[in-house]
Amino acid sequence: MLPLDKVKFCPACGERVVPRIEENRTRLACPAASCGHVLYGNPTPVVAALIEKDGEALLVRNKGWPAGWYGLVSGFLEAGETPAAGVLREVQEELGLDGEVAGLIGAFAFPERNEVILAYHVRARGEVRMGDELEHFKAVPLAKLRPWPFGTGLAVAAWLEQQRAHQA
């Protein structure tokens, strides 16, 4: 999705958009009286899977990511798809694994990408077959799993906290 600061023309009618106060915020909007389309910049829903397989968490590195960067399997929720079905589809597409949703971890804002992440704990089975989007994957023992401070790392931190609470 094009960031709002790059949008120049109304997607509904093609007029040049202008800043306008809408709902107490400055938003880009179409000035044409016959249109008036407002660009709200709503975040895109993304599903993410903290995949547990054989006592390990599977982390992935997408093509184009810097060396050493890993995250959870994630992808855009598709129209008409439930988040739980979407996360299982992503696990299948990216790692070729079958899985079952063990639970919802939570919803996390990812403002750097204008996304909201719906993260799930997924127990997976099968043999890993990496999809076209991935550069690499690694298996991390659950006891050694550590979060990172943004994006899907927030889901990892929440899941680790949930695990500690269940053990107490």
Side-chain angles (χ1 to χ4, degrees), residues 103-161:
L104 174 68
I105 298 170
F108 307 89
F110 191 7
E112 297 87 350
R113 293 185 45 107
N114 194 32
E115 297 172 352
V116 64
I117 300 169
L118 306 169
Y120 289 86
H121 174 205
V122 174
R123 290 192 182 100
R125 61 195 171 282
E127 184 178 330
V128 172
R129 294 179 319 279
M130 284 195 316
D132 295 339
E133 297 177 22
L134 298 183
E135 179 86 19
H136 193 256
F137 83 95
K138 67 179 178 179
V140 178
L142 294 175
K144 294 188 177 193
L145 183 62
R146 300 292 177 265
W148 45 98
F150 61 91
T152 60
L154 303 176
V156 172
W159 185 79
L160 290 170
E161 184 58 36

Side-chain angles (χ1 to χ4, degrees), residues 26-110:
T26 301
R27 302 184 189 275
L28 293 178
C30 180
S34 61
C35 180
H37 182 81
V38 178
L39 291 108
Y40 288 96
N42 297 332
T44 303
V46 169
V47 292
L50 191 154
I51 300 170
E52 181 181 352
K53 183 177 181 302
D54 302 326
E56 298 178 310
L58 301 184
L59 302 179
V60 298
R61 185 174 78 233
N62 284 30
K63 291 179 179 173
W65 285 7
W69 279 31
Y70 286 82
L72 301 182
V73 163
S74 61
F76 296 112
L77 186 62
E78 295 186 4
E81 186 175 54
T82 67
V87 78
L88 294 176
R89 174 187 48 78
E90 287 294 336
V91 169
Q92 178 59 228
E93 287 176 3
E94 294 193 20
L95 289 175
L97 297 172
D98 293 321
E100 64 182 357
V101 171
L104 174 68
I105 298 170
F108 307 89
F110 191 7

